[in-house]
Amino acid sequence: MGVMVVDLLSVYGLLLKHFGRQKWWPAETKFEVVVGAILTQNANWKNVERAITNLKDNDLMEPDRIHRISEERLKALIRPAGYYNSKSRKLKEFTNFLFDNYNDLNEFLALPLEQLREQLLSLWGIGPETADSVILYAAEKPSFVIDAYTKRIFSRLGLVNEEIGYDTLKNFFERSIPRDVSLYKEFHALIVELGKNYCKTKPLCGACPLGKECPEKLKHKVFIPG
Ligand code: SF4
């Protein structure tokens, strides 16, 4: 058995060196983060961007405007992001909840982290990944975001079991690295870059910036019979 030398901060350092700062989330306002976090469920970001552009071109990227427009119109505008029936309902549920309980988005996002997370998770269509994205990138509070890439990469690195649950993996990150909003933001964005570019379903280990540290790499070595 080899000794596991890789730790989370050294993984972070290697990713940062390779990809550079990602400066996530790509959004102009806090509300745009919320909208993007909902629209990106089961969708690729290019299509989400098209839906966001539609909303902005129609001057709708404000909570009260989404709150007021008809669901039919909303569906048509966010159609490029896919699942537009459920996503328009999710956006409506969010803005209904917001204006039933708060004066504006800032008041809601100012809640203490645990309370904010609990309220987000109580909403229809908001699961832990969406909730934590909103908390980290819109409320700018330290809640580590876990996604499918995070599970795949860190189980391949041998740090966690691939069956690990969302909260267990989130706690693992939060216990292992300093509780820092910028670090959490940047680390998640870098994990997504690695997953998109190298640690795909069929990983490209040869060029991966974590190649030297990764036990999984051995399994994907191309064997050239000589
Ligand atoms: S070396 Fe391969 S399996 Fe390991 S993190 Fe990189 S791409 Fe993923």
Side-chain angles (χ1 to χ4, degrees), residues 15 152-158 194-195 197-200 202-218 220:
L15 295 178
R152 181 200 289 167
I153 292 167
F154 290 87
S155 60
R156 284 176 173 173
L157 284 169
L194 187 78
N197 294 294
Y198 297 99
C199 205
K200 304 173 179 211
K202 193 163 182 284
L204 305 173
C205 302
C208 173
L210 305 182
K212 286 204 190 93
E213 326 287 329
C214 185
E216 182 75 12
K217 187 187 178 186
L218 300 173
H220 296 275

Side-chain angles (χ1 to χ4, degrees), residues 16-199:
L16 187 60
K17 194 165 155 227
H18 183 84
F19 293 109
R21 288 200 182 280
Q22 301 299 302
K23 305 196 179 88
W24 267 27
W25 184 287
E28 288 172 7
T29 61
K30 291 177 188 303
F31 185 59
E32 196 181 321
V33 174
V34 176
V35 172
I38 290 172
L39 294 182
T40 199
Q41 296 174 350
N42 305 303
N44 82 41
W45 188 254
K46 281 268 164 291
N47 295 334
V48 174
E49 272 177 341
R50 288 170 56 210
I52 286 177
T53 303
N54 284 347
L55 293 175
K56 284 182 171 174
D57 287 351
N58 285 276
D59 249 336
L60 289 168
M61 196 50 95
E62 294 287 343
D64 59 324
R65 295 192 190 142
I66 294 292
H67 188 53
R68 277 183 317 216
I69 64 163
S70 75
E71 205 161 330
E72 286 315 304
R73 181 150 181 242
L74 184 55
K75 279 181 197 170
L77 291 164
I78 65 166
R79 197 183 174 106
Y83 300 96
Y84 51 90
N85 285 320
S86 60
K87 288 178 183 175
S88 62
R89 185 176 154 204
K90 288 174 192 180
L91 291 171
K92 281 289 191 185
E93 298 259 342
F94 179 80
T95 55
N96 288 343
F97 161 83
L98 186 65
F99 292 111
D100 283 350
N101 297 284
Y102 300 93
N103 290 314
D104 58 26
L105 183 61
N106 284 337
E107 190 187 346
F108 174 54
L109 294 178
L111 288 177
L113 196 160
E114 287 311 323
Q115 212 179 327
L116 180 58
R117 192 167 195 266
E118 210 172 282
Q119 296 204 6
L120 283 165
L121 288 174
S122 74
L123 298 178
W124 184 79
I126 299 206
E129 185 183 340
T130 310
D132 291 324
S133 301
V134 169
I135 299 168
L136 182 60
Y137 294 102
E140 304 198 88
K141 295 185 164 89
S143 201
F144 203 87
V145 180
I146 301 299
D147 67 352
Y149 291 135
T150 319
K151 269 190 199 177
R152 181 200 289 167
I153 292 167
F154 290 87
S155 60
R156 284 176 173 173
L157 284 169
L159 291 177
V160 298
N161 186 300
E162 63 180 320
E163 306 300 325
I164 194 166
Y166 187 101
D167 287 336
T168 316
L169 186 52
K170 174 177 154 69
N171 289 338
F172 172 69
F173 272 87
E174 293 183 353
R175 275 199 322 266
S176 312
I177 64 174
R179 197 176 158 80
D180 179 275
V181 172
S182 320
L183 173 64
Y184 281 20
K185 282 181 172 178
E186 198 58 58
F187 204 170
H188 173 63
L190 290 165
I191 288 168
V192 173
E193 276 308 293
L194 187 78
K196 276 198 317 210
N197 294 294
Y198 297 99
C199 205

